[in-house]
Amino acid sequence: LRLLTDARTSGHLPEVLVMATGRDPHPLLSALEADVAAAGGEVLELAPDLLTKITGKDNPQAVAGVFAEFDTSLAALDRSSAKIWLVAQALRDPGNLGTMLRTGDAVGAGGLILLDDCADPFSVEAVRASMGAVFTQSLAQARWEDFIAWLREAPGGEAGGQLVAASLRDARSG
């Protein structure tokens, strides 16, 4: 419910809201249900054991949501929305991906750009680890070459972005 409420607050509503029958009433859930229905989404009620099968959790909360796929292209980013963007290359751990989204949210970054072969930012693990930041942070996926071109070309004739990096490979103390 917390993730779905954060999504709603950030302007993202699920296309399908799945709720367990016999759930305890909650005002946030009622508001979410009303908003999904008003936006033309589908609201389903299922037996708790079916919700368990859908979510893959032994003790799921009484609600789950299905969202439309996000546009994760570099072109979809509003570069001017922030001075800082986090970038990760070949990030494999969905928990670390969620942590980076939370960090970006905390420092006011525009979002997270994932380069090359990274973990799925919309996997259950990454979404949970983000604690809602997947809905507040912009997210893009690109190849290194495309990112560098995007970084160097600035709209309106402005100077391109600056890249500051850290790596665990070939670490040297300076």
Side-chain angles (χ1 to χ4, degrees):
L1 180 58
R2 182 181 177 275
L3 282 175
L4 291 169
T5 300
D6 287 348
R8 179 176 160 253
T9 301
S10 300
H12 298 279
L13 285 173
E15 290 186 339
V16 179
L17 183 65
V18 183
M19 301 182 299
T21 55
R23 68 194 173 280
D24 291 331
H26 195 286
L28 290 175
L29 186 53
S30 297
L32 181 62
E33 181 181 2
D35 285 354
V36 168
E42 192 172 356
V43 178
L44 303 174
E45 290 196 45
L46 298 177
D49 61 324
L50 289 176
L51 192 57
T52 297
K53 288 181 182 181
I54 289 172
T55 61
K57 293 192 59 89
D58 291 335
N59 58 347
Q61 292 188 354
V63 63
V66 178
F67 290 82
E69 190 171 329
F70 289 30
D71 182 355
T72 60
S73 67
L74 287 171
L77 297 179
D78 177 7
R79 291 174 66 133
S80 65
S81 67
K83 293 184 179 192
I84 297 173
W85 292 83
L86 299 181
V87 180
Q89 184 177 29
L91 181 62
R92 303 266 188 238
D93 186 296
N96 288 345
L97 197 156
T99 299
M100 287 198 69
L101 285 167
R102 290 193 327 266
T103 300
D105 201 29
V107 300
L112 175 62
I113 301 170
L114 300 171
L115 300 180
D116 300 327
D117 191 22
C118 290
D120 179 4
F122 304 110
S123 70
V124 171
E125 298 86 1
V127 170
R128 284 192 183 124
S130 81
M131 298 178 67
V134 71
F135 298 111
T136 61
Q137 290 285 283
S138 294
L139 190 62
Q141 296 173 298
R143 302 310 268 156
W144 171 255
E145 306 80 36
D146 298 328
F147 166 70
I148 287 298
W150 176 85
L151 178 68
R152 297 298 178 224
E153 69 184 33
E158 299 172 21
Q162 179 181 12
L163 181 63
V164 179
S167 174
L168 293 176
R169 259 188 277 162
D170 302 325
R172 288 179 240 137
S173 59

